[in-house]
Structures are given as structure tokens and as C-alpha cells.
Amino acid sequence: MDVSDILAAHAAKQITTRVEKEIPLLIDAGFLTVTDLNVVDKESYDADREDYLLSTARDGIQALISTLFSLPSTHTQDGPLTSLPPPNTPLPRAKPLPKPKPPTKWEQFASAKGIQKKRKERKVWDEEKQEWVDRWGRNGKNKQGEEQWIQEVPHGADVDHDPVKNLRNARKARVAKNERQRLQNESRAQSSSSQLPEREKRKQEIDRTLATTRVSTASMGRFDKQLEGEKKLKGVKRKFEPTETSVESEKKTNLAILSKLDGDAKRARRDVPGDDAINVRKAIRTVSKGRGSAALARPVGGRGGKTSSRGSKSGGRGRGKR
């Protein structure tokens, strides 16, 4: 039986799966990436760019698939399953490395004195209960004195002396002190991690305050005495429109002003709830000086000698017609 043709075809298939490059391809099976560091052949690229790109991509995909098939696999219900190795390509970070946390005041003191930090265990042994209890918390060891059924009262104490209340206040004072120290450490860490040192920040604040006080006078600081070495303030330059402009630009400016006024008027009318917002009775009473709407309907000078001006009827005690 002649099997040479079969062997030759099999050898040809094996050759097509081999990728040989001057510089070996960098294959990262964890990220499923292939990096080709070989120099681009300019003649082949200029002759047929699409064919050259397809050939380069084919070599990379073939090398990646060959690497994946060489990995150990397990047979599952859905087919062979391969576990990818951990990636070995270092990728740049999206954000910079975090800065080291500045030491607290106690850590600075401990490093100066050579004190080694000892971590306290959460559980402590209670001789009375003969068991391990929490150092702090709901039933912590730090509340042992507050939960005793009998308390010792010192000699000469006040009548309203409450030992349980004193122990509780002392414990809360320690908690408040720890919290205050924590906030101070955070504030110190933020000031040290800022770009400008504390001295420069303070200097900027003083300059800003000085500039504010200089322009707080009636002359806006023009006639004030300047200090030695004081920098000149940079003000905002006013921009004046030209006196002679084109008709089109003047028209646009006027239309913009009118549209703004029209919008304000519409907004004001929209804000008014309605006619009920005006007290008509009060308006009539004010205009007629308390005489009512009928007084407004009378003519200014009528029969009976009544006039609209202050006075009395003719023939009375006031000034009359002679």
C-alpha cells in the first residue's frame, strides 16, 4: 500500500501551521495577544499592501492558535476547555501610583524613640468570667467597670457622686480624644500631600487679603500709600464699543435689548397670579378717600353747591361767593 501521497499532504499541512520569523513573535496567551517586532518589508508592502497585511495577520493568528492548542485542556460537555495562563505583558496603569501615606504624630514619635509597634489582640482574657472577651465593643472589656453591680465610692465624695456615670464619661472622653487625633492626622496628611508647602499657601492667602483690602477704599486704592516691594494689582480692562458702527450691528444690538426687555415683561406677567392679586376694594377706598365708588362717579362741580375742593356749601361758615 503506497501512503507516500498521504504523508506528503500531511507534511504540507504541518508546514502551513508553522510560522517562522527572523524575530520570534511575542505571544501572550493570557491576554490573547501577539506582538510582531519584525521590520516591515517595504517592497512587499508597496507592491500589494492588502496581501502583505493579511499575510502578517495570518501568521500572528496561526502562532496564537498553535500556542492555545499546546496548552493542557479538559473535555467537557461543550467541548475541550483550556485554562489560560496568567498574562505576562506589563500594561501601563490608568492612574499614577498612590503616594505613601504620611506617618501620624505617634508614628513619628515612635520612630524617633525607637518604639516598635505591637498589635493588640482583639480578644483578652477575663479572669472573672474565665473566658475570652472582646477588648472593646458591645460587651467589651473597656465597659467592665460600668456593668458591675457594686461600685466603690471614694472617701469624701459628693452626695450625687455616680461612679458609673464617671466611668462612662471617661470612656467617651477617650473616644473623643482618639477621634480628634485622627482628624488632626488627616488634616496634617492633606497639608503635607498638597503641592504647595504650608508657608507658600499662607503667603498666597496674605497676598489675596491684602489685595482685597486695597480696593475697599472709596478711591479703589488709587490714592493709598503703597508698601515697599508691593506688587501692582492687575485690574480688568474695560472694553468700550466704538462710537461709529455699521447700521447692521446697531440694529442687532437694539433688537437684543428689546428682546431682553420683552422677555422680562413676559416673565413678570407670568409671575402675577391673576386679577385676584389686586384688591379692588382697597384701591377704590384709597382713591376716593373713603367715600366709595359712588363719589368717583359724581361730576366735579354739580348742583347743590358741592365742589371737589375742601370747603362747605355756599352760605355757610366757610368762604362763599359774594
Side-chain angles (χ1 to χ4, degrees):
M1 181 178 180
D2 188 9
V3 294
S4 58
D5 296 339
I6 299 175
L7 294 176
H10 182 70
K13 289 182 180 180
Q14 293 293 329
I15 292 175
T16 56
T17 59
R18 296 175 185 174
V19 178
E20 296 181 355
K21 296 279 188 177
E22 295 182 2
I23 302 176
L25 300 177
L26 301 179
I27 303 173
D28 190 351
F31 284 145
L32 298 178
T33 57
V34 179
T35 305
D36 190 357
L37 301 178
N38 291 277
V39 182
V40 177
D41 189 359
K42 192 174 185 311
E43 295 182 359
S44 303
Y45 182 82
D46 294 339
D48 193 348
R49 181 174 59 181
E50 295 295 332
D51 183 62
Y52 181 82
L53 294 177
L54 288 175
S55 176
T56 305
R58 180 261 168 201
D59 294 342
I61 295 298
Q62 182 60 57
L64 179 61
I65 292 175
S66 301
T67 304
L68 293 179
F69 273 96
S70 64
L71 296 175
S73 60
T74 56
H75 293 280
T76 61
Q77 185 179 359
D78 299 329
L81 182 64
T82 302
S83 298
L84 298 179
N88 53 21
T89 302
L91 296 178
R93 289 176 57 91
K95 296 181 179 180
L97 289 172
K99 297 180 180 180
K101 190 176 180 180
T104 61
K105 191 174 181 180
W106 163 251
E107 290 175 351
Q108 294 177 358
F109 175 78
S111 61
K113 297 295 182 179
I115 302 174
Q116 298 294 332
K117 182 179 179 181
K118 294 181 180 180
R119 183 179 180 83
K120 291 184 178 181
E121 299 292 338
R122 182 173 180 82
K123 297 285 186 178
V124 293
W125 179 255
D126 192 349
E127 294 291 344
E128 183 179 353
K129 298 180 180 180
Q130 291 296 312
E131 62 180 2
W132 292 93
V133 297
D134 293 335
R135 188 183 294 273
W136 51 79
R138 181 179 180 184
N139 299 320
K141 185 73 171 176
N142 58 343
K143 298 181 181 178
Q144 183 178 6
E146 304 174 20
E147 299 175 354
Q148 291 181 357
W149 64 277
I150 185 172
Q151 298 286 345
E152 181 180 359
V153 178
H155 180 70
D158 297 336
V159 179
D160 57 347
H161 177 75
D162 189 354
V164 177
K165 183 178 179 181
N166 293 341
L167 292 174
R168 187 184 300 111
N169 293 339
R171 177 175 57 83
K172 291 184 178 181
R174 292 194 299 269
V175 173
K177 180 182 177 182
N178 293 335
E179 180 66 16
R180 185 170 61 254
Q181 290 178 348
R182 185 185 68 83
L183 295 176
Q184 290 177 357
N185 290 330
E186 290 183 356
S187 176
R188 194 181 301 108
Q190 291 179 359
S191 61
S192 62
S193 60
S194 59
Q195 297 181 357
L196 294 176
E198 189 67 23
R199 184 180 180 86
E200 292 294 331
K201 292 174 63 177
R202 180 60 178 165
K203 184 179 178 181
Q204 289 185 358
E205 292 179 1
I206 294 175
D207 293 341
R208 192 179 302 111
T209 306
L210 179 61
T212 305
T213 54
R214 279 188 57 186
V215 296
S216 62
T217 57
S219 63
M220 300 295 289
R222 175 178 293 183
F223 303 107
D224 295 347
K225 183 179 180 181
Q226 293 187 356
L227 302 176
E228 184 179 356
E230 185 178 359
K231 297 181 180 179
K232 186 177 180 181
L233 294 178
K234 295 182 179 179
V236 179
K237 293 184 178 180
R238 295 180 59 185
K239 183 180 179 181
F240 296 94
E241 298 293 336
T243 55
E244 297 182 0
T245 57
S246 61
V247 178
E248 191 67 25
S249 62
E250 187 176 358
K251 179 182 177 182
K252 289 182 179 180
T253 306
N254 295 334
L255 288 177
I257 296 174
L258 291 176
S259 62
K260 185 177 180 181
L261 294 176
D262 189 22
D264 295 341
K266 289 181 179 179
R267 194 180 303 109
R269 288 196 300 269
R270 186 171 61 251
D271 294 341
V272 175
D275 296 338
D276 297 338
I278 302 175
N279 193 338
V280 180
R281 281 187 171 185
K282 186 176 180 180
I284 293 175
R285 188 166 57 250
T286 304
V287 174
S288 64
K289 299 181 180 179
R291 289 176 295 179
S293 59
L296 298 177
R298 296 194 190 110
V300 176
R303 292 183 179 180
K306 293 184 179 180
T307 59
S308 60
S309 60
R310 293 185 61 183
S312 59
K313 296 181 180 180
S314 60
R317 288 185 59 186
R319 293 178 61 185
K321 188 175 180 181
R322 302 179 78 180

